[in-house]
Amino acid sequence: ALVDVARFTTRKGAELVCNYLGFLAGDSEKKGPTTSLYYAISLLLCAILFPKAAVLGAIVCIALGDPVAMIVGKSFGRVRLRKKSIEGSLAGFLVCVPAIFLVASSWRVAVIGAFAGSLVEFLPLPLDDNLTVPMFSGAVMALMIMYGW
């Protein structure tokens, strides 16, 4: 997030970021905000809006589920919807369930929260999944926790 501030507010910041970190950026990140900005915004909003267990579950969904889904999807994905694969989403889900259980102490919250995160990650939404996955999965888990599901 700080990299984006430096990159968009000063010419020197833009040059430094481009010269030293440009190889890390995807095509859309070279002209717009980096995914780390969306990541930081979504986790900040989760921390403000949701109970602790839902925040930790949302972090699990984006920090574990998203990279596992990408790696498995790129390596083994056969059934695709645009650039996402069912195999990748399933792998992300399977990794998230036990990890969310460790922070939420409820298998029901873990399974439904992981499913919510995997579903949003799989759908071809126009928003960055670093924003949508934690917000949606965190909201679902927060509602479950607050209403005792």
Side-chain angles (χ1 to χ4, degrees):
L2 291 175
V3 169
D4 278 340
V5 172
R7 185 168 62 125
F8 290 124
T9 56
T10 67
R11 182 173 293 182
K12 185 69 173 169
E15 289 174 13
L16 287 171
V17 170
C18 183
N19 290 338
Y20 294 104
L21 299 174
F23 69 96
L24 295 173
D27 291 337
S28 64
E29 293 176 312
K30 290 180 180 172
K31 295 182 180 168
T34 61
T35 57
S36 63
L37 179 64
Y38 296 117
Y39 194 96
I41 289 170
S42 67
L43 294 184
L44 177 63
L45 289 172
C46 285
I48 292 169
L49 297 173
F50 305 143
K52 182 179 178 181
V55 174
L56 294 174
I59 291 169
V60 164
C61 282
I62 195 63
L64 290 178
D66 193 46
V68 166
M70 182 203 55
I71 291 166
V72 171
K74 286 187 182 230
S75 301
F76 306 105
R78 300 274 186 262
V79 182
R80 295 192 177 278
L81 179 63
R82 295 195 184 163
K83 294 183 178 183
K84 307 288 181 160
S85 77
I86 290 176
E87 296 87 351
S89 294
L90 181 60
F93 169 78
L94 292 174
V95 166
C96 285
V97 170
I100 293 172
F101 175 75
L102 292 174
V103 298
S105 300
S106 163
W107 283 111
R108 186 178 299 171
V109 170
V111 169
I112 294 174
F115 178 76
S118 296
L119 176 66
V120 170
E121 192 277 330
F122 179 71
L123 295 174
L125 300 173
L127 297 173
D128 190 285
D129 61 357
N130 286 294
L131 183 63
T132 58
V133 169
M135 291 302 299
F136 187 70
S137 63
V140 167
M141 289 182 277
L143 289 171
M144 292 182 74
I145 292 164
M146 290 188 302
Y147 291 104
W149 294 344

